[in-house]
Amino acid sequence: MLRTTDPYLAFANALSLFLDAPQPVLGVDPLSSVARDATLGRDVSIGPS
Amino acid sequence: MTIARGVRIGDRTVVYPNVTIGEGTLIGEDCVVHSQTAIRERVVIGNRVILQNGVVIGGDGYGFARRADGTHQKIPQSSAVVIEDDVEIGANTTVDRPAIGETRIQAGAKIDNLVQVGHGVNVGRNVLLAAQVGIAGSTTIGEGACSAGRWAWRSRVDRQEGHGRGPERHHELDSRRCVRQRLSGHRQPRMAQIVGDFPQAAGVAKEDRRARTTRARARGHAGRKQAKIEVVMAVLRHALKTRLPVAALVAALALVPLNAAVRPPRMQYSITTLPNGLTVVLSEDHSTPIVHADLWYHVGSKDERPGRTGFAHLFEHMMFKGSKNVAPEEHASMIASVGGQSNAYTNDDTTVFWETVPSQYLPLAMWLEADRMATLKIDEATFKAEREVVKEERRLRIDNQPFGRLTEFSTPTPSRCTPTSTRPSAAWRIWTPPQWTTCAISTTRITFPATPRWRWWGISIPRRRWIWSRNISAGSEVRPDDRPGLSEGAAGHQREARHGDGELAAAGRGGGLPHHLRRPSRFVSPASHVEDSVRRRELAHLQVAGVRAGHRGLGIRRRQHHRRAEPVLCRRHRPARAHAGGSGARVDCGVRQAARTPVSERELQRAKNQFFRDYITDRESTQGKAGQLATPW
């Protein structure tokens, strides 16, 4: 039982707890084209072109 | 996936296939960029930003300079675009790059699909923009604003239209002027749905604006005249505000003779007849950001069946008792919750419903009107209860008022009309065909379709193929049994009534059967009546006669039937100024004498001035304007 003064917001929070979003493959896809001097952060995911 | 030189992408950001990121663009941490998105060069995107499929950020702004030969020179658009933290942008939304300055979407703003954000726009923090919103270049949207779908934001257009306001005021639409849905409780989603469902027309086309300027130039001379009148009005308004004595008012009028050479300012309006026969009179008024809508059903107490009166008034009440989509009494509270006012009134000729709302809520007002016009719901219990309310109001206003019944005589009862039905809701629909309805809208900054179609408000109101006949002849009889307590006679256009005897004797005389009672009223140009000097003279005569009658201890009541010609005069004995042994005959004698004495030119001119002044001051409010536009002349 979840009691709240703002059900719509609580609903949004609850949904994000159960969300099973597809996880993108980490790293840079070999079929992508990334400039040599572009800077990529840690754990980025760059899809193919 | 193409990432150009100098791009920096923060930790944990996900870039899906087929995204193009231009040179030097910075993207923060934890962002998600869905496929097919194009981010151009030197765009700055904060943290936790989500870009749905097909977003285009940093495309060239729409800026061209007109060359002498009519072609256009591109103005290079190479300035910055900044998307702050926690922004989400919907699919196929475009955010343009300006020539100078920056386009900025501030933190927490959420933008739906297919929104156009023009170059140089600044979208405030936590703003919500629903689908298909269009924002013209350089518009600023204040923090927390919430726009329903398909609204057009155009700050610069207003500035160029030249309403005499500086750019700094109009440039910024702060949150108060936005479409906000800050409404209480359960109503919020419902209101959002109503407002969101109805499309606003896109901005006024450039041609329109140019045409308007041309017209304004052509009006040059008339414009100067109008300016003069405005000066007079300013003096009058000031006098009213500072509560100068009435003498000062009269002096002001005497100094500036408002004779026939000066015309009241012309109202600009357009008349459209919808396919279902409903007449829409639209007047653009940019003086204030409010809109007034008057909905006139051209039926009233004059259309009632003898012995079955109060029908029009009863239906006026029922219109607030709910329809298919609106709960009982919700109409007024919906209007009130957006800061508007609404009410209705019934008279012998019309049943009028009106709303004054902030201009962006025009769709709401129109939808509410269309809804109850088409889907009025009448349940028996409410109907019966409301019938008692109407009866009580009649007792209060007419039956129990001294001489209250006397004025009634001027309204003849038609010999045969008023359709009936066993079902009140069916009777209502027969009673008010759209062909007999005028909607007058005095609107303002809102962009409004030039030819509004009633159906746009989401509800279809079909044309009535059969319209009942209003068989009202000039000589229609007043039956004594319908109006107990009054002895009356009707001789052609002169109608007389007597009431009581002795000290409380009263007599009334009608100066003619108003012509509108002889045929169904309809819309004629409101300008016509001022042009008609004969009518003006008649009115002036009446005014003078009224003043004189007052001096003789007679009450006089002028009924103009909405300022139309052929006014009905009701004269009555005023008991406070006791005529010893006053009788109907004495009253009549006094009235005749007052009316017979010739009116001097000065008196006439003064009465005319007063008439003109009233006419002009009546137009000062948007409500007054709409009322005049809807009035069938």
Side-chain angles (χ1 to χ4, degrees):
Chain A
M1 178 69 80
L2 187 64
R3 286 187 187 278
T4 171
T5 50
D6 193 343
Y8 198 51
L9 185 61
F11 174 67
N13 288 336
L15 268 194
S16 23
L17 285 176
F18 292 105
L19 181 69
D20 190 13
Q23 291 299 309
V25 183
L26 290 190
V28 180
D29 191 289
L31 290 177
S32 67
S33 145
V34 179
R36 210 173 295 162
D37 62 350
T39 315
L40 304 181
R42 273 173 298 155
D43 299 328
V44 296
S45 164
I46 306 293
S49 101
Chain B
M1 167 56 40
T2 310
I3 298 176
R5 294 172 52 199
V7 168
R8 295 174 72 167
I9 297 177
D11 297 351
R12 297 171 302 280
T13 286
V14 179
V15 181
Y16 283 98
N18 290 319
V19 171
T20 311
I21 301 175
E23 207 173 314
T25 283
L26 310 176
I27 299 179
E29 298 173 357
D30 297 302
C31 295
V32 181
V33 182
H34 287 278
S35 56
Q36 308 299 346
T37 289
I39 305 168
R40 290 265 297 265
E41 68 279 9
R42 297 188 315 284
V43 171
V44 178
I45 295 177
N47 300 322
R48 299 172 301 280
V49 171
I50 301 172
L51 304 179
Q52 298 293 346
N53 301 79
V55 170
V56 178
I57 295 178
D60 283 2
Y62 188 67
F64 300 91
R66 199 180 169 86
R67 296 195 197 96
D69 63 354
T71 59
H72 295 94
Q73 164 127 23
K74 183 175 174 65
I75 299 171
Q77 311 279 324
S78 58
S79 211
V81 178
V82 181
I83 313 286
E84 295 186 5
D85 294 350
D86 299 302
V87 168
E88 175 159 356
I89 298 181
N92 280 343
T93 283
T94 53
V95 181
D96 274 356
R97 169 191 302 280
I100 49 169
E102 60 176 24
T103 305
R104 182 177 284 269
I105 297 176
Q106 294 190 37
K110 310 290 183 193
I111 300 177
D112 202 354
N113 299 343
L114 288 164
V115 171
Q116 152 70 359
V117 180
H119 57 303
V121 164
N122 190 329
V123 176
R125 291 172 77 88
N126 302 325
V127 162
L128 296 180
L129 301 175
Q132 290 186 281
V133 164
I135 307 170
S138 301
T139 306
T140 297
I141 298 181
E143 181 182 337
C146 166
S147 174
R150 284 196 73 179
W151 283 77
W153 296 73
R154 45 178 199 125
S155 59
R156 289 171 65 162
V157 174
D158 288 326
R159 207 172 65 204
Q160 287 169 0
E161 275 174 357
H163 299 307
R165 292 174 209 159
E168 67 285 343
R169 278 188 61 193
H170 257 268
H171 200 48
E172 293 207 359
L173 291 162
D174 65 25
S175 45
R176 271 168 305 158
R177 304 192 74 162
C178 297
V179 191
R180 298 188 90 167
Q181 310 293 333
R182 288 283 160 91
L183 299 163
S184 59
H186 68 281
R187 192 178 290 149
Q188 188 165 342
R190 179 79 187 115
M191 294 283 292
Q193 190 190 338
I194 293 170
V195 176
D197 277 354
F198 299 109
Q200 276 304 300
V204 178
K206 287 188 175 171
E207 290 74 29
D208 284 3
R209 251 186 290 142
R210 228 173 284 143
R212 214 176 299 156
T213 325
T214 319
R215 253 183 287 144
R217 248 180 243 137
R219 274 205 308 265
H221 184 63
R224 277 196 294 281
K225 228 178 223 175
Q226 184 166 341
K228 274 185 208 160
I229 290 165
E230 272 160 13
V231 168
V232 177
M233 292 312 303
V235 170
L236 283 176
R237 266 197 299 271
H238 181 70
L240 283 170
K241 262 186 210 148
T242 52
R243 294 189 187 157
L244 284 180
V246 181
L249 266 177
V250 176
L253 276 174
L255 282 172
V256 191
L258 280 171
N259 53 27
V262 181
R263 295 227 183 286
R266 268 197 112 70
M267 258 192 276
Q268 297 294 321
Y269 61 88
S270 63
I271 303 174
T272 315
T273 305
L274 307 189
N276 63 6
L278 192 141
T279 308
V280 179
V281 189
L282 183 67
S283 167
E284 253 189 74
D285 175 5
H286 296 271
S287 57
T288 40
I290 56 168
V291 53
H292 180 89
D294 253 24
L295 197 72
W296 287 49
Y297 295 95
H298 296 291
V299 283
S301 57
K302 77 168 197 294
D303 298 310
E304 287 163 355
R305 187 179 287 235
R308 293 180 71 90
T309 56
F311 198 66
H313 190 190
L314 178 57
F315 268 119
E316 180 215 309
H317 278 237
M318 293 311 298
M319 288 287 265
F320 291 93
K321 295 297 170 188
S323 59
K324 192 175 140 202
N325 301 301
V326 178
E329 307 295 349
E330 201 185 9
H331 182 107
S333 67
M334 273 185 168
I335 295 290
S337 64
V338 299
Q341 279 188 314
S342 63
N343 212 334
Y345 57 88
T346 307
N347 54 39
D348 53 4
D349 196 29
T350 47
T351 309
V352 177
F353 299 87
W354 60 264
E355 284 88 20
T356 308
V357 286
S359 51
Q360 70 267 34
Y361 287 109
L362 179 63
L364 174 69
M366 289 288 93
W367 179 82
L368 284 169
E369 284 297 0
D371 175 57
R372 65 179 173 184
M373 184 188 280
T375 72
L376 184 70
K377 222 185 225 172
I378 299 175
D379 70 87
E380 194 158 350
T382 324
F383 191 74
K384 281 185 175 158
E386 220 48 44
R387 191 161 56 193
E388 293 310 309
V389 173
V390 168
K391 280 167 154 178
E392 183 54 34
E393 283 190 15
R394 186 197 151 85
R395 282 192 285 270
L396 195 71
R397 291 173 190 169
I398 297 172
D399 293 344
N400 294 346
Q401 289 290 326
F403 309 111
R405 305 282 313 278
L406 192 60
T407 51
E408 254 198 345
F409 84 99
S410 65
T411 311
T413 40
S415 48
R416 182 186 66 81
C417 59
T418 318
T420 49
S421 166
T422 45
R423 283 185 309 130
S425 49
W428 165 252
R429 278 197 289 279
I430 300 167
W431 176 249
T432 57
Q435 288 96 316
W436 288 351
T437 308
T438 305
C439 180
I441 303 163
S442 181
T443 184
T444 164
R445 295 184 63 248
I446 199 162
T447 50
F448 194 80
T451 51
R453 282 180 298 164
W454 202 247
R455 201 182 287 272
W456 278 3
W457 314 113
I459 291 158
S460 151
I461 299 152
R463 189 184 180 88
R464 301 258 168 267
R465 261 171 292 170
W466 175 79
I467 301 182
W468 50 285
S469 136
R470 288 195 281 193
N471 183 16
I472 308 164
S473 63
S476 58
E477 293 286 320
V478 177
R479 296 173 201 172
D481 55 331
D482 294 336
R483 315 270 170 93
L486 286 175
S487 67
E488 303 169 70
H493 287 197
Q494 280 290 321
R495 306 173 63 81
E496 291 188 5
R498 277 173 214 294
H499 187 286
D501 209 350
E503 273 301 291
L504 292 174
R509 169 167 305 133
L513 185 67
H515 72 123
H516 69 281
L517 294 179
R518 293 181 216 139
R519 56 169 191 216
S521 54
R522 60 192 171 77
F523 187 83
V524 189
S525 161
S528 61
H529 86 291
V530 261
E531 309 297 335
D532 188 342
S533 64
V534 178
R535 260 177 223 185
R536 219 160 48 211
R537 207 175 166 85
E538 266 176 20
L539 287 170
H541 268 285
L542 279 174
Q543 200 128 345
V544 174
V547 172
R548 286 191 185 159
H551 288 158
R552 285 159 206 258
L554 297 166
I556 191 158
R557 187 181 151 132
R558 194 184 56 179
R559 300 192 76 195
Q560 283 179 25
H561 290 283
H562 301 284
R563 296 172 291 245
R564 258 162 296 173
E566 297 179 74
V568 175
L569 260 181
C570 294
R571 298 140 183 170
R572 68 173 194 232
H573 180 199
R574 193 191 286 163
R577 314 262 300 248
H579 280 244
S583 67
R586 175 77 190 265
V587 174
D588 274 0
C589 178
V591 168
R592 284 206 193 97
Q593 219 178 327
R596 225 179 286 139
T597 327
V599 176
S600 77
E601 202 48 48
R602 191 156 173 274
E603 275 178 308
L604 197 63
Q605 188 59 50
R606 186 178 291 174
K608 276 184 192 172
N609 286 350
Q610 192 150 11
F611 175 71
F612 260 105
R613 193 200 62 190
D614 291 349
Y615 181 72
I616 294 170
T617 45
D618 276 0
R619 286 178 168 199
E620 287 280 283
S621 67
T622 45
Q623 178 162 19
K625 276 176 208 162
Q628 288 204 354
L629 287 172
T631 304
W633 290 94

